């Protein structure tokens, strides 16, 4: 299993451009999450999905959109990129959290700079 | 929203020393997790705690779920150079399968540097 994969690893955007960060998992996990990590800060949840076709906002959703057409893929879309979106973005997945199974597996991250 | 305060923010220690870090919250959590992040990588789960008062070990790492359910502690014994990285605590509110949907609240991280 490749686990959680993310592309690209690095990207520089100009203000106002848009892009899609790709995330895929091959563990047949129902739940998927997008986080952003700013320097000196913990991870903040942007969006999450509990299954194909179902998504919901996290703590910091403004400026982002997501879709979940398949179990495996959970792309994050940035429209009209702004400098405040400069961050490292992590995708994570887990089985449906039941009882003690709450472990989230993280991808390697995408480092995005908006100038 | 919920906030986790993690301390210390950074630590510089000699190889062989023990390390302690903690996380406190204004809210009660039902699950506490400790993650480690190596440079350029995503966080990796070290220890998960599911019950107040629970003490769990993973090799040289020991973590405890505070009795009040508002704090957690991580200890690393006999540190080695590969312990270098950022350690995050994370809390989860509800029981799995409930309205929390597995969502985690993360602390700011503790940056650990180990001098050989």
């Amino acid at each position: 299993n490749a686990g959680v994969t993310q592309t690209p690893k690095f990207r520089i955007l100009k203000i106002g451009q848009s892009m899609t960060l790709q995330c895929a998992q091959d563990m047949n996990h129902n739940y998927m999450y997008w986080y952003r990590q700013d320097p000196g800060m913990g991870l903040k949840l942007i969006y999450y999905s509990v299954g194909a076709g179902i998504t919901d906002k996290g703590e910091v959703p403004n400026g982002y959109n997501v879709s979940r057409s398949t179990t495996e893929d959970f792309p994050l879309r940035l429209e009209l990129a702004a400098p405040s979106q400069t961050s490292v973005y992590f995708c994570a997945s887990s089985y449906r959290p039941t009882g003690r199974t709450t472990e989230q597996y993280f991808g390697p991250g995408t480092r995005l700079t908006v100038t | 929203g919920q906030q986790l305060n993690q301390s210390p923010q950074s630590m510089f220690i000699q190889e062989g020393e023990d390390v302690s870090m903690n996380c406190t919250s204004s809210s009660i959590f039902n699950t506490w997790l400790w993650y480690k992040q190596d440079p350029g990588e995503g966080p990796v789960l070290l220890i998960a705690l599911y019950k107040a008062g629970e003490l769990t070990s993973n090799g040289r790492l020991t973590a405890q779920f505070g009795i009040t359910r508002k704090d957690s502690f991580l200890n690393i014994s006999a540190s080695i150079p590969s312990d270098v990285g950022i350690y995050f605590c994370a809390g989860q509110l509800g029981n799995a399968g409930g309205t929390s949907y597995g969502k985690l609240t993360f602390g700011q991280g503790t940056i650990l540097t180990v001098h050989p």
Side-chain angles (χ1 to χ4, degrees):
Chain A
N1 285 353
V4 180
T5 57
Q6 291 183 240
T7 57
K9 284 190 74 73
F10 305 93
R11 184 71 186 268
I12 299 174
L13 280 183
K14 293 190 185 303
I15 294 171
Q17 287 185 321
S18 54
M19 77 164 292
T20 299
L21 282 66
Q22 300 292 343
C23 174
Q25 53 90 12
D26 60 359
M27 297 175 283
N28 205 29
H29 286 170
N30 301 105
Y31 284 51
M32 296 187 75
Y33 310 84
W34 272 106
Y35 293 89
R36 60 176 289 171
Q37 182 180 29
D38 300 319
M41 305 291 287
L43 283 73
K44 292 191 184 297
L45 183 65
I46 305 171
Y47 270 95
Y48 67 99
S49 168
V50 303
I54 307 170
T55 63
D56 205 350
K57 296 177 181 178
E59 187 181 352
V60 289
N62 291 344
Y64 307 95
N65 275 303
V66 293
S67 59
R68 184 98 181 268
S69 56
T70 66
T71 301
E72 294 77 19
D73 301 297
F74 190 39
L76 177 72
R77 178 83 178 160
L78 277 72
E79 305 280 4
L80 299 175
S84 61
Q85 293 178 305
T86 294
S87 189
V88 182
Y89 291 85
F90 289 100
C91 178
S93 71
S94 72
Y95 289 109
R96 179 182 183 275
T98 56
R100 300 173 78 88
T101 309
T102 58
E103 177 171 0
Q104 292 183 18
Y105 296 82
F106 284 81
T110 293
R111 186 175 296 274
L112 176 67
T113 302
V114 182
T115 62
Chain B
Q2 298 79 33
Q3 286 193 337
L4 293 186
N5 293 311
Q6 189 172 344
S7 65
Q9 286 190 328
S10 61
M11 302 183 74
F12 298 84
I13 62 170
Q14 291 293 130
E15 183 177 358
E17 289 183 357
D18 297 342
V19 172
S20 291
M21 59 191 79
N22 69 81
C23 229
T24 59
S25 169
S26 56
S27 304
I28 288 175
F29 286 103
N30 290 323
T31 302
W32 282 95
L33 306 169
W34 284 92
Y35 284 85
K36 183 189 178 207
Q37 184 179 25
D38 291 326
E41 302 289 331
V44 174
L45 183 67
L46 298 174
I47 293 179
L49 303 158
Y50 298 97
K51 197 165 75 169
E54 181 178 351
L55 186 71
T56 298
S57 293
N58 178 7
R60 294 178 295 106
L61 278 62
T62 302
Q64 184 161 25
F65 192 141
I67 291 291
T68 65
R69 294 199 285 158
K70 291 185 176 182
D71 55 9
S72 180
F73 307 87
L74 176 70
N75 294 314
I76 305 173
S77 62
S79 59
I80 58 178
S82 62
D83 290 334
V84 163
I86 306 176
Y87 292 79
F88 290 100
C89 62
Q92 183 186 32
L93 273 180
N95 277 330
T99 56
S100 72
Y101 297 116
K103 290 183 287 184
L104 299 176
T105 299
F106 281 83
Q108 309 97 313
T110 295
I111 301 172
L112 179 64
T113 303
V114 180
H115 295 287

